[in-house]
Amino acid sequence: MNAFLSYGAQFGRQLISVAVIALSLFLLVRAAPGDITDYYAARGDYDATALAALRTDLGLDQSSIIQFQRWLTHAAQGDFGESMRYGSPVSSMLAEALPHTLRLAALSLAFGLALGIGLAILALACPRLRLHTLIEGLNIWSIAVPSFCLGVLGILIFSIWLKWLPIRGQMLLPVIILGLDVAGQIGKPLYEELKEMTRAGFVRTARAKGLSTWRITWRHILPNCLSHVIALSGVILGGLVGGALTMEALFAHPGLGGLTLEAIRSRDYPVIQIAVMVLAAFVVLVNLTAAALQRWADPRLTRRTA
Amino acid sequence: MPLISPLLSIRNLCADHRGTRVLHDINLDIQAGQSLGLIGESGSGKSLTALACVGLLPWEIAAVGSIRYRDIELMRLNEPGWRDVRGRKIGMVFQDPMTSLNPIMTLGTQILEILKPRNDDNRKQRRHRAALLLEEVGLPDPGEMLKRYPFELSGGQQQRAMIAMTLAAEPELLIADEPTTALDVTTQAQILRLLRDIQQRRQMAMLFISHDLDAVMAMSDRVAVMYKGRLVEQGLAREVLHAPRQPYTQALVAAHTALALAPISPIPGEEIALALDGVCVDYGRWHSKRALHDVSLRVRAGTTLGIAGESGSGKSTLAQAVMGLLAPSAGSIRVLGMDPRDKRTRQAFTRACQYVFQDTSGSLNPRRTLMQTLAEPLLTQGLPADPARCGAMLEEVGLEPALLQRFPHQISGGQRQRVVIARALAMQPRILVCDEPVSALDATVRNQILSLLTNLRDRHGLTLVFIGHDLNVMRSMADDILVMRKGSVLEHGSVKEIFSQPRHPYTRELLAASNLTETPDTTNSVAAHPHAPRARSQTDFSARGASPNQTPNNAFNPSSSNTVTPNSCALVSLLPASAPATT
């Protein structure tokens, strides 16, 4: 019962933070001078009276608070409005963009986790391979090398020179590039943690029990590092969803990043609002999931009794 | 004396650590079904010897020689070969059960993964057998216990679970490396009794390692004494410990039987060093738990206050409140007139009052050399921190200055505690709060540390607040004693009062627990009441061995009863006068 309450409280806190993000976002995008009518004006399609009419039509002549109130009443009914630029409903635009982004983020994370965890374990199990230098290298790589440089390079090599892969819409290169980033961020701390763990008393006990190295690694050492990996993956995944923008742009995936960027450029308020809120909600969801997974991985976090 | 080939035989075992020899030519035999006690102070190489027997020496230590288990030469085994020996033939119980059990694995899983396979047994039967093991080691509700995690158990229960886990593989030799050192004084005796019972019931051989003479006496048929990596003496337990032939063993026994310190009664000044009025400490924000109930006391400058009690009694909480590490939820604390929580006087306070922690490895930064550690308090005071000065600090606590470049993990536990004391003394404090500073040390080292503390106290007029569970230590050091239990003060008085007329039953219990060697009448009194309450832990334990109606399994197997005398009542017999006739 108590645990249930604390889950509820946590969820409530996260919901509130999404709401606060929504409000401040709403006010902030309107605080900057200019709106979508300026975008049309710049293209020269409208004169001043037509622009004013358009502004009234879109409700942009009202104060921000009234606009927010109006948006909120619609949003409460599940209507998130229409794009000011394309006129299509925001929800359908989102439904189109989101799967691309999620697929890219999920695949990159899976690849990166597999690579990072695999490397860390292998480096520990076979010190003679000197894999830890590779882990160090990958870590520095993930910090220092911007992914778009790699993307451009990859396109140049594999698509233009070798002609192995298409440029538009392919998943392989972006997943590998983002995955390497993830592996670099996961592998290094995990390797250090694993190394620390091998010196722990219970690992000595496990060895004194005559267990195989394989079993000691998989059943004793790794599970004790798992909550670390989960916490880290949560942060990384949150970043991936919003941060895969350059990959989406380079490889022509119409994802969330591209949608947001385009919307910001044309001051398409409803789209900005929803795109950023979805990002925020996603980060919140990832955090909650990570916290729940951590509890599963480490019973000490929940069962603090006796 | 029939000649049986030993179960484990160590011949000419030597070990080197980076060019220094840490084990010299160890020769040791363990017969099947026999318990061998290995005794020595920390750093004497007893744990290394044990680890060599299971091939778990740290990689930087290279061992040569021969260790034979029946007809297997262990020193020539490769890793898969070792796996057949570890656990299955030689089981090991380590010192600290909290760190030795996997924290996120249930006890059931940890036992089942080592449980000796039997023909046609299924999952359910295996779980049942695991539960039986937990029952054998005296854990309540074994079926439920299998689903528990180590952190849900007390220290004593954890060690019981550890023993059950080791027994699961049914080893013929059990190595117990200081199995009770990390435990509470009242649970120590229970675990020791359990180990001895199991060893005798299962006819297992045991290598019992300890620095505690009482424990070794109670646990072993034969005893081997180690000193600085050498085996100095071995023989029947009673013979070695009653009539030690080697000077080191004689010193060890002498140090044990009577603390060499004469009670000193300094002339206390009038100044009140420590004044507590109605101090309460609560833990937790919402469902707060009171850890300290209404403690009031006065300590005059230059005197020593001993705080005694078992773990969880609130003595460390009291010390931390005095140090300003915890805020009291009620009452006031004045240390030399200063409030420890007052930020303005904080700096002056830390100079006047220093703390020696219980956990020696946790209170030293693992990434700093001793030199760096000791330089810190000097630099805070604006003093130059040159190697000569730091070396002198080490010498003051009986360490060689050559250790300055070492890291904490490269010195022994006893040495670490000396470093901690040296660091505290570097501030030239007026009050020193010592939280169980000697409970992890050997008898000889302990006496040196205690006399060091006493000397310093007398030389600098230090006020000592000395926390411990060993009342013997208190008697030799303290002027006043505070007995605590469950966060409240049970008794507060001068040493003389407490020791001659303990008013509270718990004080008497504590006195009995620490006065193992001074209870010559136990054989008579307790043998008549074999089911006397267990509360009088160790005394009770020793007497139980002597009681006539113990388990019939205790009668040794006939083959070995010629070579070994069961001396389970050895605990009482440290004083020759009180030695009961067992044979």
Side-chain angles (χ1 to χ4, degrees):
Chain A
M1 187 61 211
N2 229 341
F4 189 74
L5 264 179
S6 84
Y7 280 125
Q10 208 180 355
F11 189 69
R13 267 205 298 278
Q14 304 286 12
L15 272 185
I16 291 171
S17 63
V18 174
V20 170
I21 289 171
L23 175 61
S24 38
L25 182 73
F26 200 92
L27 299 179
L28 275 177
V29 289
R30 282 162 178 78
D35 52 37
I36 185 140
T37 53
D38 297 305
Y39 175 80
Y40 286 128
R43 298 203 324 200
D45 298 343
Y46 293 85
D47 57 15
T49 46
L51 279 178
L54 186 62
R55 199 173 269 135
T56 330
D57 192 31
L58 291 172
L60 292 175
D61 52 343
Q62 309 279 354
S63 76
S64 301
I65 295 300
I66 292 175
Q67 286 185 49
F68 185 68
Q69 206 179 357
R70 218 186 269 166
W71 177 81
L72 207 60
T73 43
H74 282 110
Q77 292 154 18
D79 172 18
F80 294 103
E82 288 159 3
S83 164
M84 289 182 179
R85 189 167 159 206
Y86 303 104
S88 51
V90 173
S91 42
S92 69
M93 288 171 80
L94 206 68
E96 215 168 288
L98 207 54
H100 285 281
T101 301
L102 287 184
R103 197 181 326 140
L104 186 60
L107 284 175
S108 312
L109 185 73
F111 172 65
L113 278 180
L115 186 67
I117 295 177
L119 269 181
I121 289 177
L122 213 61
L124 200 77
C126 322
R128 260 167 299 158
L129 293 178
R130 305 192 61 76
L131 278 175
H132 64 272
T133 45
L134 184 62
I135 291 174
E136 296 284 344
L138 208 55
N139 185 245
I140 294 172
W141 171 284
S142 71
I143 296 167
V145 181
S147 51
F148 71 87
C149 288
L150 275 180
V152 171
L153 208 66
I155 290 173
L156 188 67
I157 295 172
F158 295 104
S159 305
I160 297 177
W161 290 351
L162 297 171
K163 298 203 188 328
W164 286 353
L165 298 164
I167 300 177
R168 295 178 59 84
Q170 59 126 330
M171 291 295 267
L172 191 63
L173 272 181
V175 164
I176 288 178
I177 291 167
L178 289 176
L180 282 177
D181 252 15
V182 175
Q185 291 172 56
I186 293 262
K188 165 91 172 146
L190 178 64
Y191 176 66
E192 297 296 334
E193 181 89 3
L194 286 173
K195 229 169 54 180
E196 189 75 34
M197 228 24 112
T198 52
R199 287 194 286 268
F202 64 86
V203 174
R204 186 173 64 169
T205 309
R207 294 185 66 198
K209 279 157 87 174
L211 303 178
S212 66
T213 319
W214 186 251
R215 191 176 169 93
I216 292 174
T217 311
W218 283 99
R219 292 304 310 273
H220 288 267
I221 300 180
L222 196 60
N224 272 285
C225 301
L226 211 55
S227 73
H228 217 78
V229 174
I230 292 170
L232 215 56
S233 313
V235 176
I236 291 173
L237 185 59
L240 267 182
V241 169
L245 179 78
T246 52
M247 289 295 116
E248 287 176 4
L250 270 179
F251 294 95
H253 284 286
L256 195 59
L259 185 73
T260 319
L261 187 69
E262 201 51 41
I264 291 172
R265 209 184 283 159
S266 59
R267 304 292 164 108
D268 198 346
Y269 294 153
V271 180
I272 301 176
Q273 184 73 29
I274 287 307
V276 176
M277 272 183 67
V278 164
L279 278 181
F282 186 78
V283 170
V284 162
L285 205 69
V286 165
N287 281 344
L288 284 175
T289 320
L293 278 178
Q294 263 181 304
R295 281 203 195 85
W296 164 78
D298 190 344
R300 278 171 295 185
L301 296 175
T302 37
R303 299 167 65 163
R304 267 279 170 224
T305 47
Chain B
M1 195 180 275
L3 206 67
I4 326 157
S5 71
L7 180 69
L8 187 88
S9 133
I10 303 175
R11 286 286 170 273
N12 307 90
L13 180 69
C14 299
D16 291 299
H17 175 242
R18 298 206 176 111
T20 15
R21 182 140 285 196
V22 284
L23 286 181
H24 301 262
D25 232 9
I26 306 291
N27 289 294
L28 209 58
D29 284 333
I30 301 175
Q31 306 287 345
Q34 187 195 55
S35 170
L36 176 80
L38 193 56
I39 193 162
E41 55 195 47
S42 52
S44 62
K46 33 189 213 310
S47 289
L48 285 183
T49 311
L51 287 175
C53 296
V54 285
L56 288 178
L57 281 175
W59 60 269
E60 67 262 27
I61 291 177
V64 288
S66 153
I67 304 176
R68 291 185 75 79
Y69 178 88
R70 291 199 192 279
D71 43 8
I72 310 169
E73 173 54 58
L74 299 182
M75 296 294 277
R76 270 193 236 120
L77 286 181
N78 54 4
E79 197 59 26
W82 269 120
R83 281 213 291 278
D84 291 330
V85 172
R86 290 181 195 144
R88 294 161 186 78
K89 297 192 167 68
I90 305 177
M92 192 143 178
V93 174
F94 293 99
Q95 177 173 350
D96 185 356
M98 184 74 199
T99 56
S100 301
L101 289 167
N102 189 334
I104 61 169
M105 223 187 214
T106 59
L107 296 186
T109 321
Q110 294 193 52
I111 291 174
L112 285 172
E113 70 176 359
I114 186 186
L115 195 68
K116 188 175 185 176
R118 288 217 181 120
N119 294 336
D120 62 270
D121 67 357
N122 54 25
R123 236 182 92 78
K124 212 177 147 194
Q125 279 168 335
R126 287 172 67 79
R127 272 197 94 77
H128 179 64
R129 278 168 57 206
L132 285 182
L133 280 168
L134 288 184
E135 201 174 353
E136 183 177 350
V137 297
L139 283 173
D141 197 6
E144 229 9 73
M145 210 43 119
L146 284 176
K147 296 179 207 144
R148 291 273 204 86
Y149 290 94
F151 63 86
E152 296 173 305
L153 272 58
S154 71
Q157 287 177 322
Q158 283 170 354
Q159 196 59 298
R160 282 171 195 268
M162 181 79 199
I163 292 168
M165 188 173 82
T166 315
L167 293 178
E170 298 173 18
E172 286 177 287
L173 170 63
L174 181 72
I175 300 179
D177 188 357
E178 307 244 9
T180 57
T181 311
L183 300 179
D184 227 339
V185 64
T186 39
T187 41
Q188 278 183 5
Q190 295 166 16
I191 296 290
L192 289 180
R193 167 164 41 185
L194 174 77
L195 267 176
R196 184 64 161 163
D197 277 356
I198 286 174
Q199 182 254 328
Q200 296 184 338
R201 190 162 58 236
R202 293 188 168 227
Q203 308 265 318
M204 259 187 326
M206 179 157 75
L207 177 61
F208 180 82
I209 299 171
S210 180
H211 64 256
D212 185 350
L213 272 177
D214 288 333
V216 169
M217 270 296 239
M219 298 300 290
S220 5
D221 309 312
R222 290 175 65 83
V223 163
V225 183
M226 285 192 80
Y227 179 62
K228 293 201 171 161
R230 286 191 170 80
L231 207 59
V232 290
E233 192 167 356
Q234 57 175 312
L236 291 180
R238 192 113 38 82
E239 285 172 14
V240 171
L241 296 180
H242 277 156
R245 285 190 301 270
Q246 297 299 319
Y248 174 71
T249 322
Q250 287 163 358
L252 197 71
V253 173
H256 174 78
T257 31
L259 286 173
L261 297 167
I264 305 156
S265 40
I267 304 125
E270 285 307 303
E271 191 188 3
I272 300 289
L274 205 59
L276 274 72
D277 282 304
V279 172
C280 300
V281 173
D282 297 329
Y283 283 121
R285 218 167 3 154
W286 289 304
H287 303 285
S288 58
K289 199 165 166 276
R290 185 143 285 196
L292 213 56
H293 297 273
D294 192 25
V295 177
S296 303
L297 58 92
R298 294 275 180 284
V299 181
R300 277 165 305 163
T303 62
T304 300
L305 172 73
I307 304 178
E310 60 194 2
S311 58
S313 60
K315 49 194 198 313
S316 288
T317 306
L318 177 61
Q320 287 180 23
V322 167
M323 289 304 295
L325 301 174
L326 287 173
S329 40
S332 84
I333 301 174
R334 286 288 174 277
V335 180
L336 298 168
M338 287 179 279
D339 179 1
R341 299 286 294 177
D342 191 345
K343 285 200 179 64
R344 285 164 300 177
T345 55
R346 186 73 197 162
Q347 219 169 5
F349 172 80
T350 50
R351 283 213 187 156
C353 194
Q354 281 288 308
Y355 198 99
V356 174
F357 291 90
Q358 183 173 11
D359 175 14
T360 55
S361 49
S363 54
L364 290 171
N365 188 336
R367 287 177 197 247
R368 311 195 92 186
T369 61
L370 301 192
M371 170 78 198
Q372 287 169 316
T373 298
L374 290 175
E376 208 167 35
L378 294 178
L379 293 172
T380 345
Q381 296 174 89
L383 295 171
D386 48 296
R389 193 182 282 264
C390 295
M393 283 160 67
L394 279 189
E395 276 177 336
E396 204 178 350
V397 291
L399 293 175
E400 287 166 30
L403 294 178
L404 273 181
Q405 292 314 314
R406 299 267 188 102
F407 286 94
H409 67 268
Q410 293 169 320
I411 58 178
S412 72
Q415 289 172 326
R416 274 201 294 269
Q417 189 58 292
R418 287 162 182 251
V419 174
V420 172
I421 291 174
R423 180 180 58 182
L425 292 176
M427 293 296 275
Q428 297 174 331
R430 296 190 54 200
I431 300 175
L432 200 58
V433 181
C434 308
D435 191 353
E436 305 232 18
V438 294
S439 51
L441 304 182
D442 324 309
T444 43
V445 184
R446 183 179 65 188
N447 285 2
Q448 289 163 13
I449 297 274
L450 290 178
S451 59
L452 174 76
L453 284 173
T454 328
N455 284 342
L456 285 161
R457 176 188 67 182
D458 298 341
R459 207 174 333 139
H460 302 295
L462 274 179
T463 310
L464 284 185
V465 176
F466 192 96
I467 297 168
H469 54 245
D470 189 348
L471 278 174
N472 269 333
V473 172
M474 303 271 169
R475 175 183 255 175
S476 59
M477 288 208 61
D479 302 299
D480 290 331
I481 288 188
L482 196 69
V483 179
M484 297 191 65
R485 188 182 204 185
K486 289 178 182 164
S488 330
V489 176
L490 293 188
E491 205 162 344
H492 182 198
S494 72
V495 171
K496 213 179 278 172
E497 281 168 31
I498 300 271
F499 274 87
S500 53
Q501 309 149 327
R503 284 192 303 274
H504 200 280
Y506 180 70
T507 314
R508 288 196 282 274
E509 203 175 291
L510 269 182
L511 277 173
S514 61
N515 278 7
L516 282 174
T517 56
E518 299 168 23
T519 46
D521 57 332
T522 38
T523 32
N524 305 326
S525 62
V526 192
H529 311 281
H531 301 296
R534 99 162 4 171
R536 229 163 289 138
S537 55
Q538 293 204 340
T539 346
D540 189 6
F541 165 34
S542 61
R544 189 191 139 132
S547 72
N549 48 350
Q550 50 188 305
T551 46
N553 287 347
N554 264 1
F556 268 60
N557 62 347
S559 62
S560 63
S561 63
N562 293 334
T563 44
V564 256
T565 329
N567 67 333
S568 22
C569 46
L571 258 187
V572 209
S573 55
L574 257 181
L575 291 181
S578 70
T582 39
T583 42

